[in-house]
Short mmCIF file of all heavy atoms in Angstrom, two decimals:
data_model
loop_
_atom_site.label_atom_id
_atom_site.label_comp_id
_atom_site.label_asym_id
_atom_site.label_seq_id
_atom_site.Cartn_x
_atom_site.Cartn_y
_atom_site.Cartn_z
N MET A 1156 -4.90 -20.94 -9.40
CA MET A 1156 -5.53 -20.15 -8.35
C MET A 1156 -6.18 -18.91 -8.97
O MET A 1156 -5.57 -18.22 -9.78
CB MET A 1156 -4.48 -19.72 -7.32
CG MET A 1156 -5.05 -18.88 -6.21
SD MET A 1156 -3.73 -18.16 -5.20
CE MET A 1156 -4.16 -18.80 -3.63
N ARG A 1157 -7.42 -18.65 -8.58
CA ARG A 1157 -8.17 -17.52 -9.12
C ARG A 1157 -7.68 -16.22 -8.46
O ARG A 1157 -7.48 -16.16 -7.26
CB ARG A 1157 -9.65 -17.73 -8.80
CG ARG A 1157 -10.58 -16.65 -9.32
CD ARG A 1157 -12.02 -16.96 -8.94
NE ARG A 1157 -12.25 -16.86 -7.51
CZ ARG A 1157 -12.52 -15.72 -6.86
NH1 ARG A 1157 -12.58 -14.58 -7.51
NH2 ARG A 1157 -12.73 -15.72 -5.56
N CYS A 1158 -7.50 -15.19 -9.27
CA CYS A 1158 -7.12 -13.89 -8.73
C CYS A 1158 -8.33 -13.26 -8.03
O CYS A 1158 -9.43 -13.25 -8.58
CB CYS A 1158 -6.65 -12.97 -9.86
SG CYS A 1158 -6.13 -11.34 -9.25
N LYS A 1159 -8.11 -12.75 -6.84
CA LYS A 1159 -9.19 -12.16 -6.05
C LYS A 1159 -9.16 -10.63 -6.13
O LYS A 1159 -9.40 -9.95 -5.14
CB LYS A 1159 -9.08 -12.62 -4.59
CG LYS A 1159 -9.23 -14.12 -4.43
CD LYS A 1159 -9.12 -14.52 -2.97
CE LYS A 1159 -9.26 -16.03 -2.82
NZ LYS A 1159 -9.12 -16.45 -1.41
N ARG A 1160 -8.87 -10.14 -7.29
CA ARG A 1160 -8.69 -8.70 -7.44
C ARG A 1160 -9.88 -7.88 -6.93
O ARG A 1160 -9.69 -6.88 -6.24
CB ARG A 1160 -8.42 -8.35 -8.91
CG ARG A 1160 -8.14 -6.89 -9.09
CD ARG A 1160 -7.74 -6.53 -10.49
NE ARG A 1160 -7.13 -5.21 -10.50
CZ ARG A 1160 -6.54 -4.67 -11.54
NH1 ARG A 1160 -6.44 -5.34 -12.67
NH2 ARG A 1160 -6.02 -3.47 -11.47
N GLU A 1161 -11.09 -8.27 -7.29
CA GLU A 1161 -12.26 -7.49 -6.88
C GLU A 1161 -12.41 -7.49 -5.36
O GLU A 1161 -12.66 -6.45 -4.75
CB GLU A 1161 -13.54 -8.03 -7.54
CG GLU A 1161 -13.65 -7.71 -9.02
CD GLU A 1161 -12.75 -8.59 -9.89
OE1 GLU A 1161 -12.41 -9.71 -9.46
OE2 GLU A 1161 -12.38 -8.14 -10.98
N GLU A 1162 -12.24 -8.66 -4.75
CA GLU A 1162 -12.36 -8.74 -3.28
C GLU A 1162 -11.24 -7.93 -2.62
O GLU A 1162 -11.47 -7.22 -1.64
CB GLU A 1162 -12.28 -10.19 -2.80
CG GLU A 1162 -13.45 -11.05 -3.23
CD GLU A 1162 -13.08 -11.96 -4.37
OE1 GLU A 1162 -12.61 -11.45 -5.43
OE2 GLU A 1162 -13.26 -13.17 -4.22
N ASN A 1163 -10.04 -8.05 -3.14
CA ASN A 1163 -8.92 -7.30 -2.57
C ASN A 1163 -9.17 -5.80 -2.70
O ASN A 1163 -8.95 -5.04 -1.75
CB ASN A 1163 -7.62 -7.65 -3.30
CG ASN A 1163 -7.16 -9.06 -3.01
OD1 ASN A 1163 -7.56 -9.68 -2.03
ND2 ASN A 1163 -6.30 -9.58 -3.87
N ALA A 1164 -9.63 -5.37 -3.87
CA ALA A 1164 -9.86 -3.94 -4.10
C ALA A 1164 -10.94 -3.40 -3.16
O ALA A 1164 -10.86 -2.25 -2.71
CB ALA A 1164 -10.24 -3.70 -5.56
N ALA A 1165 -11.93 -4.22 -2.85
CA ALA A 1165 -13.01 -3.79 -1.96
C ALA A 1165 -12.49 -3.54 -0.55
O ALA A 1165 -13.07 -2.75 0.20
CB ALA A 1165 -14.12 -4.83 -1.95
N ASN A 1166 -11.39 -4.19 -0.19
CA ASN A 1166 -10.81 -4.03 1.16
C ASN A 1166 -9.57 -3.15 1.17
O ASN A 1166 -8.90 -3.05 2.19
CB ASN A 1166 -10.45 -5.40 1.74
CG ASN A 1166 -11.68 -6.24 2.01
OD1 ASN A 1166 -12.65 -5.76 2.58
ND2 ASN A 1166 -11.65 -7.48 1.58
N CYS A 1167 -9.27 -2.52 0.03
CA CYS A 1167 -8.05 -1.73 -0.11
C CYS A 1167 -8.31 -0.27 0.28
O CYS A 1167 -9.28 0.33 -0.20
CB CYS A 1167 -7.56 -1.80 -1.55
SG CYS A 1167 -6.08 -0.81 -1.86
N ASN A 1168 -7.45 0.29 1.12
CA ASN A 1168 -7.63 1.69 1.54
C ASN A 1168 -6.82 2.67 0.69
O ASN A 1168 -6.79 3.86 0.98
CB ASN A 1168 -7.24 1.86 3.01
CG ASN A 1168 -5.75 1.73 3.24
OD1 ASN A 1168 -5.05 1.07 2.47
ND2 ASN A 1168 -5.24 2.34 4.30
N CYS A 1169 -6.17 2.19 -0.35
CA CYS A 1169 -5.32 3.07 -1.16
C CYS A 1169 -6.16 4.10 -1.91
O CYS A 1169 -7.11 3.75 -2.63
CB CYS A 1169 -4.50 2.25 -2.16
SG CYS A 1169 -3.34 3.27 -3.07
N SER A 1170 -5.80 5.38 -1.75
CA SER A 1170 -6.55 6.45 -2.41
C SER A 1170 -5.85 6.95 -3.68
O SER A 1170 -6.35 7.86 -4.34
CB SER A 1170 -6.74 7.62 -1.43
OG SER A 1170 -5.48 8.16 -1.04
N TYR A 1171 -4.70 6.36 -3.99
CA TYR A 1171 -3.95 6.79 -5.18
C TYR A 1171 -4.52 6.08 -6.41
O TYR A 1171 -4.75 4.88 -6.38
CB TYR A 1171 -2.48 6.42 -5.00
CG TYR A 1171 -1.57 7.06 -6.02
CD1 TYR A 1171 -1.19 8.37 -5.89
CD2 TYR A 1171 -1.13 6.33 -7.12
CE1 TYR A 1171 -0.36 8.97 -6.83
CE2 TYR A 1171 -0.31 6.91 -8.07
CZ TYR A 1171 0.07 8.23 -7.92
OH TYR A 1171 0.89 8.81 -8.86
N PRO A 1172 -4.74 6.82 -7.50
CA PRO A 1172 -5.23 6.17 -8.72
C PRO A 1172 -4.14 5.30 -9.32
O PRO A 1172 -3.14 5.82 -9.82
CB PRO A 1172 -5.60 7.34 -9.64
CG PRO A 1172 -4.89 8.53 -9.09
CD PRO A 1172 -4.59 8.27 -7.65
N CYS A 1173 -4.32 3.99 -9.26
CA CYS A 1173 -3.23 3.08 -9.59
C CYS A 1173 -3.78 1.80 -10.21
O CYS A 1173 -4.78 1.26 -9.73
CB CYS A 1173 -2.47 2.75 -8.30
SG CYS A 1173 -1.18 1.51 -8.51
N ASP A 1174 -3.12 1.31 -11.24
CA ASP A 1174 -3.62 0.11 -11.91
C ASP A 1174 -3.29 -1.18 -11.15
O ASP A 1174 -3.68 -2.27 -11.58
CB ASP A 1174 -3.10 0.04 -13.35
CG ASP A 1174 -1.58 -0.01 -13.44
OD1 ASP A 1174 -0.90 -0.04 -12.38
OD2 ASP A 1174 -1.06 -0.02 -14.57
N LYS A 1175 -2.57 -1.06 -10.04
CA LYS A 1175 -2.25 -2.24 -9.23
C LYS A 1175 -3.26 -2.46 -8.10
O LYS A 1175 -3.17 -3.45 -7.38
CB LYS A 1175 -0.85 -2.13 -8.64
CG LYS A 1175 0.26 -2.17 -9.67
CD LYS A 1175 1.59 -2.06 -8.98
CE LYS A 1175 2.62 -1.20 -9.63
NZ LYS A 1175 2.28 -0.32 -10.69
N LYS A 1176 -4.22 -1.58 -7.97
CA LYS A 1176 -5.20 -1.70 -6.89
C LYS A 1176 -5.92 -3.05 -6.98
O LYS A 1176 -6.47 -3.41 -8.02
CB LYS A 1176 -6.22 -0.56 -6.98
CG LYS A 1176 -7.08 -0.42 -5.74
CD LYS A 1176 -7.90 0.85 -5.81
CE LYS A 1176 -8.87 0.96 -4.66
NZ LYS A 1176 -8.21 1.37 -3.42
N GLY A 1177 -5.87 -3.81 -5.91
CA GLY A 1177 -6.47 -5.14 -5.88
C GLY A 1177 -5.53 -6.25 -6.31
O GLY A 1177 -5.80 -7.42 -6.08
N LEU A 1178 -4.45 -5.89 -6.97
CA LEU A 1178 -3.43 -6.87 -7.37
C LEU A 1178 -2.32 -6.83 -6.32
O LEU A 1178 -1.24 -6.27 -6.53
CB LEU A 1178 -2.87 -6.54 -8.76
CG LEU A 1178 -3.87 -6.66 -9.91
CD1 LEU A 1178 -3.22 -6.19 -11.22
CD2 LEU A 1178 -4.35 -8.10 -10.06
N CYS A 1179 -2.60 -7.43 -5.16
CA CYS A 1179 -1.71 -7.30 -4.02
C CYS A 1179 -0.30 -7.81 -4.31
O CYS A 1179 0.68 -7.25 -3.81
CB CYS A 1179 -2.31 -8.02 -2.81
SG CYS A 1179 -3.92 -7.36 -2.33
N CYS A 1180 -0.18 -8.86 -5.12
CA CYS A 1180 1.16 -9.38 -5.43
C CYS A 1180 1.99 -8.31 -6.14
O CYS A 1180 3.17 -8.10 -5.81
CB CYS A 1180 1.05 -10.66 -6.26
SG CYS A 1180 -0.01 -10.52 -7.70
N GLU A 1181 1.40 -7.62 -7.10
CA GLU A 1181 2.14 -6.57 -7.82
C GLU A 1181 2.36 -5.35 -6.93
O GLU A 1181 3.40 -4.69 -7.00
CB GLU A 1181 1.38 -6.16 -9.09
CG GLU A 1181 1.37 -7.25 -10.14
CD GLU A 1181 0.78 -6.76 -11.46
OE1 GLU A 1181 0.63 -5.55 -11.64
OE2 GLU A 1181 0.48 -7.63 -12.30
N CYS A 1182 1.38 -5.05 -6.11
CA CYS A 1182 1.46 -3.90 -5.20
C CYS A 1182 2.62 -4.08 -4.21
O CYS A 1182 3.46 -3.19 -4.06
CB CYS A 1182 0.13 -3.79 -4.48
SG CYS A 1182 0.03 -2.49 -3.27
N VAL A 1183 2.68 -5.23 -3.57
CA VAL A 1183 3.75 -5.50 -2.60
C VAL A 1183 5.11 -5.47 -3.30
O VAL A 1183 6.07 -4.88 -2.80
CB VAL A 1183 3.53 -6.86 -1.90
CG1 VAL A 1183 4.76 -7.28 -1.11
CG2 VAL A 1183 2.32 -6.79 -0.99
N SER A 1184 5.20 -6.11 -4.45
CA SER A 1184 6.45 -6.17 -5.19
C SER A 1184 6.94 -4.77 -5.58
O SER A 1184 8.13 -4.44 -5.43
CB SER A 1184 6.26 -7.03 -6.44
OG SER A 1184 7.43 -7.08 -7.18
N TYR A 1185 6.01 -3.94 -6.04
CA TYR A 1185 6.34 -2.57 -6.45
C TYR A 1185 6.92 -1.78 -5.28
O TYR A 1185 7.98 -1.16 -5.39
CB TYR A 1185 5.08 -1.89 -6.99
CG TYR A 1185 5.26 -0.44 -7.34
CD1 TYR A 1185 5.76 -0.05 -8.58
CD2 TYR A 1185 4.93 0.56 -6.42
CE1 TYR A 1185 5.93 1.29 -8.90
CE2 TYR A 1185 5.09 1.89 -6.72
CZ TYR A 1185 5.58 2.26 -7.97
OH TYR A 1185 5.75 3.58 -8.27
N HIS A 1186 6.23 -1.82 -4.16
CA HIS A 1186 6.69 -1.02 -3.02
C HIS A 1186 7.91 -1.62 -2.34
O HIS A 1186 8.79 -0.90 -1.88
CB HIS A 1186 5.54 -0.81 -2.03
CG HIS A 1186 4.54 0.19 -2.53
ND1 HIS A 1186 4.83 1.53 -2.66
CD2 HIS A 1186 3.28 0.03 -3.00
CE1 HIS A 1186 3.77 2.16 -3.16
NE2 HIS A 1186 2.83 1.27 -3.37
N ARG A 1187 7.98 -2.95 -2.30
CA ARG A 1187 9.15 -3.60 -1.69
C ARG A 1187 10.43 -3.20 -2.41
O ARG A 1187 11.47 -2.95 -1.79
CB ARG A 1187 8.97 -5.12 -1.71
CG ARG A 1187 10.11 -5.83 -1.02
CD ARG A 1187 9.91 -7.32 -1.03
NE ARG A 1187 11.08 -7.96 -0.44
CZ ARG A 1187 11.32 -9.24 -0.50
NH1 ARG A 1187 10.49 -10.04 -1.12
NH2 ARG A 1187 12.40 -9.73 0.06
N ALA A 1188 10.36 -3.12 -3.74
CA ALA A 1188 11.53 -2.75 -4.53
C ALA A 1188 12.01 -1.34 -4.21
O ALA A 1188 13.15 -0.97 -4.51
CB ALA A 1188 11.21 -2.87 -6.02
N ARG A 1189 11.13 -0.54 -3.59
CA ARG A 1189 11.47 0.85 -3.24
C ARG A 1189 11.64 1.03 -1.74
O ARG A 1189 11.62 2.16 -1.25
CB ARG A 1189 10.35 1.78 -3.75
CG ARG A 1189 10.34 1.87 -5.26
CD ARG A 1189 9.01 2.34 -5.81
NE ARG A 1189 9.06 2.40 -7.26
CZ ARG A 1189 9.03 1.33 -8.06
NH1 ARG A 1189 8.92 0.11 -7.56
NH2 ARG A 1189 9.10 1.48 -9.37
N ASN A 1190 11.80 -0.09 -1.02
CA ASN A 1190 11.89 -0.04 0.45
C ASN A 1190 10.68 0.66 1.05
O ASN A 1190 10.81 1.48 1.97
CB ASN A 1190 13.19 0.63 0.92
CG ASN A 1190 14.39 -0.26 0.70
OD1 ASN A 1190 14.31 -1.48 0.88
ND2 ASN A 1190 15.50 0.33 0.31
N GLU A 1191 9.51 0.31 0.52
CA GLU A 1191 8.27 0.90 1.00
C GLU A 1191 7.30 -0.22 1.39
O GLU A 1191 7.56 -1.39 1.15
CB GLU A 1191 7.62 1.75 -0.10
CG GLU A 1191 8.45 2.96 -0.51
CD GLU A 1191 7.84 3.71 -1.69
OE1 GLU A 1191 6.95 3.16 -2.37
OE2 GLU A 1191 8.27 4.85 -1.94
N LEU A 1192 6.18 0.18 1.96
CA LEU A 1192 5.09 -0.74 2.27
C LEU A 1192 3.84 -0.28 1.52
O LEU A 1192 3.68 0.91 1.23
CB LEU A 1192 4.82 -0.74 3.77
CG LEU A 1192 5.92 -1.37 4.64
CD1 LEU A 1192 5.71 -1.01 6.11
CD2 LEU A 1192 5.94 -2.88 4.45
N PRO A 1193 2.92 -1.21 1.24
CA PRO A 1193 1.68 -0.83 0.57
C PRO A 1193 0.78 0.03 1.45
O PRO A 1193 0.95 0.09 2.67
CB PRO A 1193 1.00 -2.19 0.29
CG PRO A 1193 2.05 -3.22 0.46
CD PRO A 1193 3.04 -2.66 1.44
N ALA A 1194 -0.19 0.65 0.83
CA ALA A 1194 -1.11 1.56 1.53
C ALA A 1194 -1.77 0.93 2.75
O ALA A 1194 -1.98 1.61 3.76
CB ALA A 1194 -2.20 2.01 0.55
N CYS A 1195 -2.07 -0.36 2.68
CA CYS A 1195 -2.83 -1.00 3.75
C CYS A 1195 -2.07 -1.09 5.07
O CYS A 1195 -2.65 -1.44 6.10
CB CYS A 1195 -3.32 -2.38 3.30
SG CYS A 1195 -2.03 -3.46 2.66
N TYR A 1196 -0.78 -0.76 5.09
CA TYR A 1196 -0.03 -0.72 6.34
C TYR A 1196 -0.23 0.58 7.09
O TYR A 1196 0.21 0.72 8.22
CB TYR A 1196 1.48 -0.92 6.06
CG TYR A 1196 1.88 -2.37 5.94
CD1 TYR A 1196 1.66 -3.07 4.77
CD2 TYR A 1196 2.45 -3.04 7.03
CE1 TYR A 1196 2.01 -4.40 4.67
CE2 TYR A 1196 2.81 -4.37 6.94
CZ TYR A 1196 2.58 -5.05 5.74
OH TYR A 1196 2.91 -6.36 5.65
N PHE A 1197 -0.88 1.55 6.44
CA PHE A 1197 -0.99 2.89 7.02
C PHE A 1197 -2.45 3.24 7.32
O PHE A 1197 -3.37 2.84 6.59
CB PHE A 1197 -0.42 3.92 6.04
CG PHE A 1197 1.03 3.70 5.71
CD1 PHE A 1197 1.41 2.94 4.61
CD2 PHE A 1197 2.03 4.23 6.52
CE1 PHE A 1197 2.75 2.72 4.32
CE2 PHE A 1197 3.37 4.02 6.24
CZ PHE A 1197 3.73 3.26 5.13
N LEU A 1198 -2.64 3.99 8.40
CA LEU A 1198 -3.97 4.53 8.69
C LEU A 1198 -4.33 5.50 7.57
O LEU A 1198 -3.46 6.07 6.91
CB LEU A 1198 -3.97 5.24 10.04
CG LEU A 1198 -3.69 4.33 11.25
CD1 LEU A 1198 -3.59 5.16 12.53
CD2 LEU A 1198 -4.77 3.26 11.38
N ASP A 1199 -5.64 5.70 7.38
CA ASP A 1199 -6.10 6.46 6.21
C ASP A 1199 -5.50 7.86 6.10
O ASP A 1199 -5.16 8.30 5.00
CB ASP A 1199 -7.63 6.56 6.23
CG ASP A 1199 -8.30 5.22 5.93
OD1 ASP A 1199 -7.59 4.28 5.51
OD2 ASP A 1199 -9.52 5.13 6.12
N ASP A 1200 -5.36 8.57 7.23
CA ASP A 1200 -4.84 9.94 7.15
C ASP A 1200 -3.37 9.94 6.72
O ASP A 1200 -2.93 10.83 5.98
CB ASP A 1200 -5.02 10.68 8.47
CG ASP A 1200 -4.33 10.01 9.63
OD1 ASP A 1200 -4.21 8.76 9.63
OD2 ASP A 1200 -3.91 10.72 10.56
N VAL A 1201 -2.62 8.94 7.12
CA VAL A 1201 -1.21 8.84 6.70
C VAL A 1201 -1.14 8.32 5.26
O VAL A 1201 -0.31 8.78 4.46
CB VAL A 1201 -0.41 7.91 7.64
CG1 VAL A 1201 1.04 7.82 7.21
CG2 VAL A 1201 -0.52 8.39 9.08
N GLU A 1202 -2.01 7.40 4.93
CA GLU A 1202 -2.03 6.84 3.56
C GLU A 1202 -2.18 7.96 2.54
O GLU A 1202 -1.54 7.94 1.49
CB GLU A 1202 -3.18 5.82 3.45
CG GLU A 1202 -3.23 5.09 2.11
CD GLU A 1202 -3.82 5.91 0.99
OE1 GLU A 1202 -4.81 6.63 1.22
OE2 GLU A 1202 -3.28 5.85 -0.12
N ARG A 1203 -3.00 8.94 2.86
CA ARG A 1203 -3.28 10.01 1.90
C ARG A 1203 -2.09 10.94 1.66
O ARG A 1203 -2.13 11.76 0.76
CB ARG A 1203 -4.51 10.82 2.34
CG ARG A 1203 -5.81 10.05 2.14
CD ARG A 1203 -7.03 10.95 2.34
NE ARG A 1203 -7.19 11.40 3.71
CZ ARG A 1203 -7.85 10.74 4.66
NH1 ARG A 1203 -8.43 9.60 4.38
NH2 ARG A 1203 -7.94 11.23 5.88
N THR A 1204 -1.04 10.81 2.46
CA THR A 1204 0.16 11.61 2.21
C THR A 1204 1.02 10.96 1.12
O THR A 1204 1.94 11.59 0.60
CB THR A 1204 1.04 11.73 3.49
OG1 THR A 1204 1.61 10.45 3.79
CG2 THR A 1204 0.24 12.25 4.66
N TYR A 1205 0.75 9.68 0.82
CA TYR A 1205 1.49 8.89 -0.17
C TYR A 1205 2.94 8.66 0.21
O TYR A 1205 3.75 8.26 -0.62
CB TYR A 1205 1.39 9.49 -1.58
CG TYR A 1205 -0.05 9.63 -2.05
CD1 TYR A 1205 -0.45 10.76 -2.74
CD2 TYR A 1205 -0.99 8.65 -1.81
CE1 TYR A 1205 -1.78 10.91 -3.16
CE2 TYR A 1205 -2.30 8.78 -2.21
CZ TYR A 1205 -2.69 9.91 -2.89
OH TYR A 1205 -3.99 10.05 -3.30
N ASP A 1206 3.25 8.93 1.48
CA ASP A 1206 4.58 8.57 1.99
C ASP A 1206 4.49 7.12 2.47
O ASP A 1206 3.94 6.85 3.54
CB ASP A 1206 5.00 9.50 3.13
CG ASP A 1206 6.41 9.20 3.65
OD1 ASP A 1206 6.99 8.16 3.25
OD2 ASP A 1206 6.93 10.00 4.44
N ARG A 1207 5.00 6.20 1.68
CA ARG A 1207 4.89 4.77 1.99
C ARG A 1207 6.23 4.21 2.49
O ARG A 1207 6.46 3.01 2.46
CB ARG A 1207 4.47 3.99 0.74
CG ARG A 1207 3.30 4.57 -0.03
CD ARG A 1207 2.10 3.66 0.04
NE ARG A 1207 1.06 4.04 -0.89
CZ ARG A 1207 0.04 4.82 -0.57
NH1 ARG A 1207 -0.04 5.35 0.62
NH2 ARG A 1207 -0.91 5.07 -1.44
N SER A 1208 7.10 5.09 2.95
CA SER A 1208 8.43 4.66 3.37
C SER A 1208 8.39 3.85 4.67
O SER A 1208 7.47 3.99 5.49
CB SER A 1208 9.34 5.88 3.57
OG SER A 1208 8.88 6.66 4.66
N LEU A 1209 9.40 2.99 4.85
CA LEU A 1209 9.53 2.23 6.09
C LEU A 1209 9.70 3.20 7.26
O LEU A 1209 9.19 2.96 8.35
CB LEU A 1209 10.72 1.28 6.00
CG LEU A 1209 10.61 0.16 4.96
CD1 LEU A 1209 11.92 -0.62 4.89
CD2 LEU A 1209 9.45 -0.76 5.27
N ARG A 1210 10.42 4.30 7.02
CA ARG A 1210 10.63 5.31 8.07
C ARG A 1210 9.30 5.87 8.55
O ARG A 1210 9.06 6.01 9.75
CB ARG A 1210 11.54 6.42 7.53
CG ARG A 1210 11.86 7.50 8.55
CD ARG A 1210 12.95 8.45 8.07
NE ARG A 1210 12.85 8.82 6.66
CZ ARG A 1210 12.03 9.74 6.19
NH1 ARG A 1210 11.24 10.40 7.00
NH2 ARG A 1210 12.02 10.01 4.91
N LYS A 1211 8.41 6.20 7.61
CA LYS A 1211 7.10 6.73 7.97
C LYS A 1211 6.28 5.68 8.74
O LYS A 1211 5.60 6.01 9.72
CB LYS A 1211 6.35 7.18 6.71
CG LYS A 1211 5.07 7.91 7.00
CD LYS A 1211 5.36 9.24 7.68
CE LYS A 1211 4.13 10.08 7.86
NZ LYS A 1211 4.45 11.37 8.51
N PHE A 1212 6.35 4.44 8.30
CA PHE A 1212 5.64 3.38 8.99
C PHE A 1212 6.12 3.27 10.44
O PHE A 1212 5.30 3.22 11.37
CB PHE A 1212 5.82 2.05 8.26
CG PHE A 1212 5.22 0.88 9.00
CD1 PHE A 1212 3.85 0.68 9.00
CD2 PHE A 1212 6.02 0.00 9.69
CE1 PHE A 1212 3.28 -0.38 9.69
CE2 PHE A 1212 5.47 -1.08 10.38
CZ PHE A 1212 4.10 -1.26 10.38
N MET A 1213 7.43 3.23 10.63
CA MET A 1213 7.99 3.09 11.98
C MET A 1213 7.62 4.31 12.83
O MET A 1213 7.33 4.19 14.01
CB MET A 1213 9.49 2.88 11.92
CG MET A 1213 9.84 1.51 11.35
SD MET A 1213 11.57 1.07 11.50
CE MET A 1213 12.30 2.17 10.31
N GLU A 1214 7.64 5.48 12.20
CA GLU A 1214 7.27 6.72 12.91
C GLU A 1214 5.84 6.64 13.43
O GLU A 1214 5.56 6.99 14.58
CB GLU A 1214 7.45 7.89 11.94
CG GLU A 1214 7.08 9.25 12.47
CD GLU A 1214 7.12 10.29 11.36
OE1 GLU A 1214 8.13 10.35 10.63
OE2 GLU A 1214 6.12 11.01 11.21
N THR A 1215 4.94 6.15 12.59
CA THR A 1215 3.52 6.07 13.00
C THR A 1215 3.29 5.01 14.08
O THR A 1215 2.31 5.07 14.81
CB THR A 1215 2.59 5.78 11.80
OG1 THR A 1215 2.96 4.53 11.23
CG2 THR A 1215 2.70 6.87 10.75
N LYS A 1216 4.20 4.05 14.15
CA LYS A 1216 4.10 2.99 15.17
C LYS A 1216 4.90 3.33 16.42
O LYS A 1216 4.96 2.53 17.36
CB LYS A 1216 4.60 1.66 14.59
CG LYS A 1216 3.77 1.13 13.45
CD LYS A 1216 2.37 0.78 13.92
CE LYS A 1216 1.52 0.22 12.76
NZ LYS A 1216 0.13 0.01 13.19
N GLY A 1217 5.59 4.48 16.41
CA GLY A 1217 6.37 4.88 17.56
C GLY A 1217 7.62 4.03 17.76
O GLY A 1217 8.13 3.88 18.86
N ILE A 1218 8.13 3.50 16.64
CA ILE A 1218 9.34 2.66 16.68
C ILE A 1218 10.58 3.51 16.49
O ILE A 1218 10.63 4.35 15.62
CB ILE A 1218 9.29 1.56 15.59
CG1 ILE A 1218 8.07 0.67 15.80
CG2 ILE A 1218 10.56 0.72 15.58
CD1 ILE A 1218 7.81 -0.31 14.68
S1 LIG B 112 -0.43 0.87 -2.47
FE1 LIG B 112 0.82 1.57 -4.19
S2 LIG B 112 0.90 -0.08 -5.72
FE2 LIG B 112 -0.73 -0.52 -4.22
S3 LIG B 112 -2.58 0.23 -5.21
FE3 LIG B 112 -1.80 1.87 -3.90
S4 LIG B 112 -0.43 3.15 -5.16
FE4 LIG B 112 -0.82 1.20 -6.23
#
């Protein structure tokens, strides 16, 4: 299977300078190991805080 890194990166809202940008498999794995979610789960203004915690996600969803 061909890696779609360029296509993924074009649709990625992550503003953090990171070598995993577009490598969604590594991105998800990295954040999952920290009980976090990737940038794309957050609206842009929340994404820019770099708080990727499950707590922050639930807070933004009113859960
Ligand atoms: S969400 Fe996290 S792992 Fe993914 S590109 Fe952004 S900083 Fe890197």
Side-chain angles (χ1 to χ4, degrees):
M1156 179 190 238
R1157 181 181 68 85
C1158 181
K1159 298 180 180 178
R1160 184 174 196 172
E1161 287 76 24
E1162 293 103 304
N1163 291 340
N1166 293 314
C1167 178
N1168 70 335
C1169 185
S1170 62
Y1171 192 79
C1173 175
D1174 61 2
K1175 293 180 221 12
K1176 193 171 175 77
L1178 294 175
C1179 300
C1180 51
E1181 291 188 15
C1182 177
V1183 169
S1184 179
Y1185 175 85
H1186 286 291
R1187 183 179 176 192
R1189 290 159 180 75
N1190 287 322
E1191 296 175 345
L1192 291 166
C1195 53
Y1196 276 80
F1197 300 92
L1198 296 175
D1199 289 349
D1200 59 329
V1201 181
E1202 185 283 320
R1203 287 191 293 272
T1204 69
Y1205 302 139
D1206 183 350
R1207 313 247 191 266
S1208 66
L1209 295 174
R1210 181 170 40 80
K1211 188 66 174 180
F1212 174 76
M1213 290 190 289
E1214 178 188 310
T1215 60
K1216 296 295 181 185
I1218 300 171

